[in-house]
Amino acid sequence: MFETHITRRGLVGGAATLAAASTLPAPFVRAQAQRRLVFWHSYSQKERSDAMRQIADRFEKANPGVKVDIEIVPWPAFPQKWPAAMAAGTLPDVTILLAENAVPMALAGALNPMDDVVKALGGAEAFKGDIARTTGLFRGQHVSVPHYVHNRLLVYRKDRLAEAGMQPPVTWDDALKVAIATTKAPDHFGWIPKLAKGDTGGGFLLWMMARSANGSFFDKDGKVSFDSAPVKDATAFIVELARKAGGPGVTDYKINDNFSLVNSGKTSLAEDSAAIVAGAAKDAPAVAEQLDATFMPRRKRVGNLLGGISVALPKGKNPADGKEFARFLFAEENYTPFLLTIPLFMFPSLKRAEGPSFFDNPTIKRFRNVVDVTLKGLEDTSLAGMEHGLNPYAGPVMNSYAVEDMFQRILLRNEPIDQAVGTTAKQIEKVVGDVRTRFDRG
Amino acid sequence: MRSRNWTLAAYAACALFAVFALAPLLWMIFSSLKPYEELYNFPPTFGISSLGLHYYEKVLLSSPFPQFLANSLIVSIVSTLISVLFAAMAGWSLARARFRGQWLILNTVLLAYLFPQALIVLPLFTAIAKIGLANTYLGLILAYVTFTFPFSTWMLTAYFAKVPIEIEEAGRMDGASNLTIFCRLVLPLAAPGIVTVAIFSFINAWNEFLYGLVILGGGEKRTLPVGLYNFVGGEFAQWGEMMAATSLTMLPTLLLFLFIQRRLVGGLTAGAVKS
Amino acid sequence: MSALAAKADPHQPARAPGRRLVAWLDERLAILFLIPGLACLSAVILYPVAYNAVVGFTNASLMFPGWRFVGTANFEATLADPLFWRATLNTLVWTACSVAGQLLLGLVAALALEQVTVGRTTLRLALIVPWAFPSIVMAFAWRYMLDPLYGVLNFLLMQVGLIDAPQQWLGSPDLAMPTVIVMNIWFGFPFMMVAIVAGLQTIPQELYEAADIDGAGAWQKFWYVTLPALWQVIATVVILRTIWVFNNFDFVFLTTGGGPIDATTTLPVYAYNAGWQQYDLGRMAAVALVMMVILGFILAVYFRLLRLQKKTGEA
């Protein structure tokens, strides 16, 4: 009468068995009792995660008794994962991170300095340009070492330019003309800037253009210089671009949408790293055939934006092996093969890696101009908002999405540019001010 | 008496709902079968001649899918069982027992929902680590039980309140203990409610990402959402892979639902005879 | 001991001490049954709640070690921020419309499913699908369908003549909120449906038979039999869903990021930005506490309505 399939014995018994099973430590946890090394990275693609595992295997072989446990932490989750780990005392020994994320970690006391590692790799001079310092030097110490780097380029469609009878743009005016001439609404657009909220596309683009006009968001002491002619100039340029050649989706798109926009041919120009070409070569070979790149358009000079993906040593439980492992990542047999797991995605931070073994890769050869423009740009570049070196303001300013908000107010509500820049400058002052009150006290 | 018009209207409504509910999934599956070049066409292509399964192959072969699956199954099943069991106990207790403060307890358990989960990762993980459960299945299970227990308790309290008290009294007359009454008489009658909260708990555990990552980490104990996040959390969304991975992740949930539903229909006919 | 024995069930005279203990425990089963769940809950949840309650009054930061009490500064800053008030308004709209929509669709779907005999299992399975979507995938799937350049929705709506040109569903200030609400209804109605279907099954068949004898029509049966019987289940899901939707974060964050401008900035997104993007844990906790107060207020109104309904229902 009361027959049922959810019997008590089944329910309780099942729960008890599974609960008991779930508390058993997995065998691999037991095996590593001695020198466990925890390594976090965010190289989620199979090619790169396999390469990391192989390097770890080689490290284990070279250092008997060490067991490397790898955790893959997706990029977007990293900013939440490390504070949680720090609060609970489970920080890793080595981590890969975006260079800018090392600043809050260093300030919070989550990182061990890496000056020894830099020295062992040949000092800051062994790195390309000034990138060891611009990506890693904070308050006189190296808090991270760039694992690989890339630089923002202006990627363009050769066929569209040829069709419009245009040359690759050099100045802002050229860029605007090319973008308008290569727009064929609604099929494709000249240059779709990515100005969505919850993404730093707008902030990055404006920062590059402001740099190009010899301006900046704030100076090295954190004094905000946003409400200025260069920033207004750059804002006006991007707004005109968005209105005349950006299509209907500019306030919708995020930086990562670039891959689908370029691969689908929806945009004729795009600001991105060489990775965009790598993505096209993989997914849309016909489009990749038509891609080339030049420097970002300039007003007074080229405003380069550096992408720095770095190695850092959080305060884990095994700092000695951590240090060794960080060095090991840059060892000859590990480094270049890793850079080439997805060619064009990653460029060497170490000068010595710019050799034949890198340049002879078929994909690198095929897009040699894209590579050369990237490498040239890397000689004079910096992280967004970090042109005076690592500082604690750029992160909160970019992550406040104040710039994206400004573009949206101008584009969607027709707010006058002068007024919009003024309002946003005040917001940025507030953000910077909040950080300064704590930072200045040391 | 069911009029014919009502039945027709019901079918029409169901059809509409089904279209609304399924359209995104179908469009996603359809898109995941397309070659890359056709993904971003406008107007979109609807042809089927160029469809293929390459992304599914890639996902199944290129990620330790079986391991993620095993981890997810352990965490989801155990946390569902515990959550349902504890909630059934608490729900019955709150629905039946005549003691002061029932209402207070019901409200207190809602504390678990007072803060968005995204905002309390830090202290919650600290709490789990303090009791020595960081990086253990049990730690994550405990977190999931915490997230689903209040919901389940509320739901089951409502369902148990519907079970006629006379049945229990009859049991008591026969000399059955409270425990026997609960297990033999009450639980079966609340089966539909139990199934509902079981599905709720399972889906919650099965799809959760952030706590899975923070508590179990991104290593060998990765659950499915953490493992599959790789396809979307990287530098660019690998659309085809993501969709393929998603359908594969959703499959167990749907199978579970199908399975439970079959049993539920059986259990209900048995229950319906009661009167 | 004798007192205990006296308390034991008269039908079950106490025998061995073990038995007596069991009987004693069984008497208090109702209390015992509460312990495991509450123990789990307090092990995990008490600390975060207390933590937030304290941190809201400090200048704790993700970026800077150490903290000190700053009184009500975080609350003052929060309440003085116009965006906070906009976010509050957005959250109320988002919560009210989403929950109402989910309930309405869930109820209609559940009632419709009950009428259907052929293909019921398949239909139920179909209607449950949105619920099985992980939120990250849901966001991607909808963004893909709603894309202003290649989205299929624009194409279909243009085909049937509802719109003339592609719309920016998520990128325009007027459309963004309605769009995310529709997405949330899509995601949430299956849960309501399942809960209500389960509720429908606990309604004794005799009630309908009695209504038939009285010659009640379908509407009357729904109004006088179904709805009152479902009342408690509906009230429960509405309360719980309200909390859930109010506190929902990833859904909005992953689809619009709170934009365009401030059109979809809800309180959780606002709090998240303060804490995780600005590293300001004190501010985040303060916003969370203010949210708690607002939510508490909403729940108080619900409970008041419920009590009124109960009274009038009984009368």
Side-chain angles (χ1 to χ4, degrees):
Chain A
M1 205 170 176
F2 296 114
E3 202 197 1
T4 178
H5 300 280
I6 308 170
T7 64
R8 169 184 55 134
R9 210 158 293 159
L11 202 68
V12 176
T17 320
L18 279 161
S22 67
T23 50
L24 290 176
F28 66 89
V29 178
R30 226 178 288 147
Q32 56 197 235
Q34 278 201 326
R35 285 161 68 196
R36 178 168 177 252
L37 178 77
V38 183
F39 173 44
W40 289 0
H41 71 73
S42 309
Y43 301 143
S44 53
Q45 299 86 353
K46 182 174 165 52
E47 298 91 333
R48 299 205 289 177
S49 58
D50 286 354
M52 282 294 124
R53 186 63 250 175
Q54 285 157 16
I55 291 174
D57 289 344
R58 285 199 285 276
F59 186 74
E60 285 173 1
K61 210 173 226 173
N63 299 272
V66 177
K67 171 86 173 60
V68 183
D69 278 345
I70 296 184
E71 282 198 36
I72 301 180
V73 181
W75 295 116
F78 186 85
Q80 286 186 301
K81 174 95 175 156
W82 77 258
M86 184 171 162
T90 57
L91 281 172
D93 303 296
V94 186
T95 188
I96 299 291
L97 41 55
L98 296 176
E100 48 269 40
N101 282 341
V103 175
M105 287 185 83
L107 280 169
L111 294 181
N112 286 319
M114 294 188 75
D115 299 81
D116 297 354
V117 177
V118 173
K119 200 180 271 172
L121 291 171
E125 296 68 35
F127 290 84
K128 189 164 181 65
D130 201 26
I131 59 171
R133 278 182 279 264
T134 50
T135 63
L137 197 65
F138 184 58
R139 291 181 153 181
Q141 279 183 326
H142 284 277
V143 294
S144 74
V145 176
H147 191 209
Y148 72 84
V149 285
H150 56 70
N151 192 42
R152 283 290 197 289
L153 318 166
L154 184 65
V155 177
Y156 61 87
R157 287 277 298 252
K158 290 184 275 191
D159 53 341
R160 300 253 171 95
L161 264 62
E163 200 183 317
M166 312 286 272
Q167 290 300 309
V170 176
T171 66
W172 289 7
D173 292 340
D174 299 343
L176 205 53
K177 274 184 207 140
V178 173
I180 292 168
T182 54
T183 296
K184 220 182 240 167
D187 182 65
H188 60 258
F189 298 88
W191 182 351
I192 304 177
K194 286 138 293 278
L195 308 174
K197 264 247 167 124
D199 187 65
T200 52
F204 281 10
L205 182 60
L206 182 67
W207 179 81
M208 278 186 273
M209 293 298 108
R211 282 270 284 162
S212 164
N214 277 337
S216 68
F217 287 8
F218 44 79
D219 70 12
K220 68 178 190 310
D221 303 316
K223 196 172 163 314
V224 176
S225 50
F226 192 85
D227 196 0
S228 58
V231 172
K232 284 180 190 163
D233 199 15
T235 305
F237 166 65
I238 295 168
V239 166
E240 195 175 358
L241 189 69
R243 282 190 175 135
K244 291 184 176 160
V250 288
T251 51
D252 248 356
Y253 290 123
K254 307 180 177 184
I255 297 176
N256 286 357
D257 287 317
N258 247 350
F259 282 92
S260 42
L261 291 174
V262 169
N263 289 355
S264 62
K266 293 288 174 208
T267 186
S268 309
L269 303 170
E271 79 284 9
D272 210 311
S273 75
I276 200 85
V277 182
K282 183 169 144 284
D283 286 330
V287 171
E289 206 49 56
Q290 296 301 337
L291 291 182
D292 206 340
T294 180
F295 295 103
M296 284 296 287
R298 66 197 79 181
R299 188 60 135 195
K300 296 191 168 115
R301 64 199 192 93
V302 178
N304 281 313
L305 178 95
L306 173 67
I309 287 74
S310 298
V311 186
L313 298 176
K315 290 186 174 152
K317 298 193 171 69
N318 189 354
D321 286 320
K323 219 177 248 187
E324 278 310 303
F325 186 75
R327 273 179 61 185
F328 195 69
L329 287 172
F330 292 93
E332 196 102 39
E333 69 273 25
N334 298 327
Y335 192 52
T336 309
F338 169 67
L339 295 179
L340 293 173
T341 48
I342 310 181
L344 296 176
F345 236 78
M346 297 167 275
F347 292 89
S349 54
L350 278 173
K351 277 186 208 156
R352 65 164 155 81
E354 277 185 45
S357 55
F358 183 76
F359 291 113
D360 287 349
N361 174 280
T363 312
I364 301 282
K365 264 188 176 158
R366 183 172 156 213
F367 295 101
R368 188 57 200 260
N369 184 48
V370 177
V371 174
D372 287 343
V373 173
T374 300
L375 293 176
K376 182 87 183 35
L378 284 171
E379 283 165 16
D380 173 28
T381 182
S382 79
L383 303 168
M386 309 267 201
E387 62 269 38
H388 313 292
L390 292 188
N391 63 66
Y393 317 117
V397 167
M398 291 297 173
N399 291 338
S400 72
Y401 313 128
V403 174
E404 290 75 12
D405 192 78
M406 176 184 83
F407 280 124
Q408 299 195 343
R409 290 197 317 267
I410 298 170
L411 290 167
L412 300 170
R413 276 200 206 137
N414 285 315
E415 194 172 316
I417 287 174
D418 277 3
Q419 184 194 327
V421 171
T423 311
T424 304
K426 286 207 182 70
Q427 289 169 5
I428 292 178
E429 264 163 33
K430 173 96 191 24
V431 172
V432 171
D434 284 349
V435 178
R436 275 179 80 166
T437 49
R438 295 291 294 271
F439 185 62
D440 290 347
R441 268 190 281 125
Chain B
M1 201 163 285
R2 286 173 180 173
S3 79
R4 191 184 203 133
N5 287 348
W6 279 110
T7 312
L8 276 179
Y11 272 102
C14 282
L16 265 178
F17 278 116
V19 170
F20 180 52
L22 287 180
L25 177 73
L26 295 180
W27 186 244
M28 253 172 86
I29 294 180
F30 183 65
S31 303
S32 75
L33 300 172
K34 286 181 181 179
Y36 191 91
E37 309 85 74
E38 285 182 28
L39 279 179
Y40 301 102
N41 284 355
F42 194 87
T45 53
F46 292 91
I48 53 163
S49 54
S50 51
L51 303 185
L53 278 171
H54 41 291
Y55 289 120
Y56 291 81
E57 256 170 62
K58 227 166 156 179
V59 165
L60 281 175
L61 299 179
S62 78
S63 61
F65 194 83
Q67 196 182 355
F68 299 164
L69 189 73
N71 292 336
S72 265
L73 281 174
I74 291 177
V75 171
S76 306
I77 292 178
V78 178
S79 66
T80 302
L81 289 176
I82 296 181
S83 170
V84 168
L85 179 70
F86 287 4
M89 289 158 60
W92 179 66
S93 165
L94 292 169
R96 279 292 179 261
R98 294 274 162 265
F99 57 85
R100 285 170 171 273
Q102 280 161 276
W103 194 237
L104 185 72
I105 290 176
L106 267 181
N107 285 350
T108 314
V109 296
L110 286 183
L111 270 180
Y113 299 135
L114 280 184
F115 300 113
Q117 287 167 13
L119 303 190
I120 54 166
V121 201
L122 204 65
L124 201 143
F125 182 57
T126 313
I128 297 234
K130 286 258 163 67
I131 46 178
L133 294 179
N135 203 28
T136 65
Y137 291 124
L138 198 60
L140 190 60
I141 290 168
L142 189 58
Y144 288 163
V145 169
T146 312
F147 295 153
T148 51
F149 171 75
F151 211 135
S152 308
T153 305
W154 271 67
M155 293 303 297
L156 288 177
T157 306
Y159 287 118
F160 283 134
K162 283 260 157 295
V163 176
I165 189 101
E166 296 79 27
I167 292 182
E168 290 176 36
E169 276 161 5
R172 220 154 270 141
M173 285 302 184
D174 293 345
S177 70
N178 281 326
L179 190 63
T180 314
I181 291 173
F182 174 69
C183 298
R184 292 281 152 78
L185 304 184
V186 179
L187 272 188
L189 284 179
I194 289 182
V195 166
T196 306
V197 299
I199 297 173
F200 170 78
S201 304
F202 184 86
I203 290 183
N204 182 75
W206 190 256
N207 285 347
E208 204 280 333
F209 164 75
L210 185 59
Y211 283 85
L213 175 74
V214 171
I215 294 174
L216 279 187
E220 275 91 346
K221 288 189 193 153
R222 254 179 289 178
T223 54
L224 268 178
V226 179
L228 300 178
Y229 199 85
N230 288 346
F231 296 113
V232 288
E235 282 76 359
F236 53 96
Q238 294 161 278
W239 178 258
E241 284 92 331
M242 183 190 81
M243 178 48 227
T246 308
S247 349
L248 293 172
T249 317
M250 281 170 64
L251 209 60
T253 317
L254 297 179
L255 282 178
L256 172 93
F257 188 70
L258 192 68
F259 173 76
I260 283 187
Q261 184 166 261
R262 287 255 164 84
R263 307 215 117 195
L264 176 60
V265 173
L268 282 175
T269 11
V273 186
K274 73 172 190 278
S275 46
Chain C
M1 272 305 216
S2 57
L4 285 180
K7 259 193 180 179
D9 197 346
H11 297 281
Q12 296 259 317
R15 271 162 274 173
R19 286 279 172 115
R20 225 179 292 165
L21 181 68
V22 170
W24 188 81
L25 289 173
D26 194 62
E27 276 284 287
R28 282 145 192 89
L29 202 61
I31 306 285
L32 292 178
F33 266 17
L34 282 172
I35 294 173
L38 293 182
C40 270
L41 210 58
S42 41
V44 176
I45 274 305
L46 281 185
Y47 178 65
V49 170
Y51 173 93
N52 260 21
V54 173
V55 165
F57 295 91
T58 71
N59 66 350
S61 156
L62 279 177
M63 196 153 42
F64 301 104
W67 50 268
R68 61 185 173 82
F69 281 103
V70 293
T72 54
N74 289 321
F75 296 90
E76 284 160 28
T78 303
L79 298 180
D81 184 357
L83 185 57
F84 165 79
W85 295 103
R86 175 70 209 227
T88 306
L89 184 67
N90 285 342
T91 310
L92 295 178
V93 171
W94 152 259
T95 309
C97 295
S98 298
V99 173
Q102 289 178 0
L103 177 64
L104 190 67
L105 261 66
L107 185 62
V108 174
L111 293 172
L113 266 182
E114 283 298 289
Q115 300 291 312
V116 160
T117 41
V118 184
R120 194 182 195 168
T121 309
T122 320
L123 272 172
R124 260 204 207 156
L125 198 61
L127 296 192
I128 202 90
V129 157
W131 192 11
F133 265 73
S135 49
I136 175 92
V137 177
M138 186 162 60
F140 268 93
W142 278 90
R143 275 179 67 85
Y144 179 65
M145 291 194 303
L146 298 177
D147 190 281
L149 294 185
Y150 44 76
V152 67
L153 186 72
N154 277 328
F155 171 75
L156 294 177
L157 291 180
M158 278 158 76
Q159 285 293 302
V160 298
L162 279 174
I163 54 173
D164 306 325
Q167 297 291 310
Q168 255 191 297
W169 298 102
L170 295 167
S172 98
D174 299 331
L175 289 177
M177 184 55 104
T179 306
V180 288
I181 288 173
V182 169
M183 288 164 59
N184 196 16
I185 292 174
W186 171 83
F187 168 74
F189 90 87
F191 171 75
M192 294 282 195
M193 182 190 82
V194 170
I196 293 171
V197 163
L200 285 173
Q201 283 160 352
T202 57
I203 303 177
Q205 200 57 42
E206 310 88 271
L207 289 181
Y208 288 107
E209 284 157 13
D212 280 338
I213 293 169
D214 291 348
W219 269 118
Q220 283 165 315
K221 274 193 276 182
F222 171 72
W223 204 248
Y224 294 108
V225 179
T226 313
L227 211 51
L230 282 178
W231 182 248
Q232 194 167 1
V233 169
I234 289 180
T236 307
V237 289
V238 165
I239 288 173
L240 294 169
R241 265 289 135 143
T242 301
I243 300 178
W244 187 86
V245 174
F246 185 92
N247 277 340
N248 175 276
F249 163 75
D250 21 4
F251 208 107
V252 172
F253 185 76
L254 292 170
T255 43
T256 64
I261 313 176
D262 49 14
T264 59
T265 304
T266 55
L267 285 170
V269 173
Y270 177 80
Y272 180 92
N273 284 344
W276 293 107
Q277 310 280 35
Q278 304 295 303
Y279 309 106
D280 194 341
L281 291 179
R283 243 335 248 299
M284 178 164 88
V287 179
L289 287 169
V290 176
M291 284 169 64
M292 202 180 87
V293 172
I294 300 175
L295 197 55
F297 185 72
I298 297 174
L299 292 181
V301 172
Y302 268 146
F303 290 148
R304 173 59 63 86
L305 288 178
L306 273 181
R307 228 161 280 165
L308 284 180
Q309 184 67 32
K310 247 187 193 162
K311 273 185 197 145
T312 50
E314 278 164 9

